[in-house]
Amino acid sequence: KSVLKSDLLGKEVVHFFDTDSTNNEAKKLAADGAVEGTIVVSEAQNSGRGRLSRGFFSPASKGIWLSVILRPSFAPQHASKCTLVTAVAVTKAIEKFTGIRCGIKWPNDIFYEGKKLVGILTEMNAEMDAVNYIVIGIGINVNIAQAEFPEELQRIATSLQAISGNAIERKELLSQVLVELESAYLEILKNGFLHILNEWKTYSITLGQAVNVIGIDQTFSGIAKDIDEDGALLVETENGVERVLAGDVSIRPK
Ligand code: BTN
């Protein structure tokens, strides 16, 4: 805990050697009244969760498997943007700490040369019209050798060590991630999301690309043009502009 440089985030640190999912632990703690800024980290997750009900590979002591509890004063409809904000903060932290410049695939996957390095899963609990808590789950592949990824991830996942050839100090990187996330969070509370959504665009690898969108009830292709003030992806199709709030977007190879 002493290495942490953030004030709010990491106020309380809950550490596990193994758990099903740090997001599950964080949601339990939040429901039991944990203070804002409480973080949960685990060396390993035996049932790490990704978006769209997928699993998330989380081997022991080789990554940052982290969940952050926030209790923001904004209305529930703003929560989904936290995921874009987090992607920007983590991308910046990685760039500052390692010099590696990554890109963000809408909404919040962090990629390096076509392979996924970081996943983010935001979950919210709201009562009436107020946010009770938001849990932001962040999984960063840090010291996983390329050959250690399971077969099905070999061609689509990477790690900081695989990219740089060096082992990365996880605690220091964690500390940097919390500093960046804290400053982004304070910024949105004070001035709203506009500034960070614009920053998101500068890291985006999705905008300007031909994409396939697998939505909840429809599938279509088009060109990703922009994101709007809700963080939704605007895709220009043959039938006009489609607004994508959730779903799976893949970039079509050229
Ligand atoms: C995705 O790739 O779709 C999101 C992956 C999110 C993984 C992180 S690891 C820490 C936290 N606990 C989980 O079970 N998931 C998130």
Side-chain angles (χ1 to χ4, degrees), residues 11-157:
K11 236 195 223 169
E12 299 284 341
V13 179
V14 180
H15 178 266
F16 291 90
F17 288 98
D18 195 13
T19 178
D20 55 348
S21 150
T22 56
N23 265 32
N24 293 354
E25 295 292 349
K27 287 199 288 185
K28 276 187 249 165
L29 289 166
D32 287 345
V35 295
E36 174 167 75
T38 300
I39 66 168
V40 179
V41 284
S42 186
E43 293 304 313
Q45 299 183 112
N46 53 58
S47 212
R49 292 188 291 112
R51 288 174 70 236
L52 311 169
S53 311
R54 293 179 182 136
F56 193 79
F57 179 58
S58 323
S61 309
K62 304 219 159 178
I64 293 177
W65 322 127
L66 162 73
S67 298
V68 178
I69 298 173
L70 299 178
R71 298 188 185 276
S73 47
F74 51 68
Q77 73 258 27
H78 295 295
S80 67
K81 283 176 284 194
C82 286
T83 226
L84 284 83
V85 169
T86 304
V88 171
V90 174
T91 303
K92 280 187 184 172
I94 289 173
E95 190 171 14
K96 282 190 186 164
F97 189 67
T98 67
I100 298 169
R101 167 96 181 186
C102 301
I104 305 173
K105 182 166 91 68
W106 186 88
N108 56 20
D109 284 339
I110 300 180
F111 270 68
Y112 183 84
E113 291 184 349
K115 291 178 167 179
K116 180 157 153 176
L117 181 66
V118 178
I120 297 167
L121 177 68
T122 301
E123 298 183 271
M124 176 179 64
N125 178 278
E127 275 158 26
M128 313 287 270
D129 257 343
V131 176
N132 178 15
Y133 62 79
I134 295 178
V135 166
I136 300 179
I138 304 169
I140 308 177
N141 298 334
V142 183
N143 294 325
I144 305 175
Q146 196 62 45
E148 287 173 322
F149 284 104
E151 180 67 39
E152 67 275 17
L153 296 181
Q154 280 294 339
R155 287 171 50 228
I156 54 173

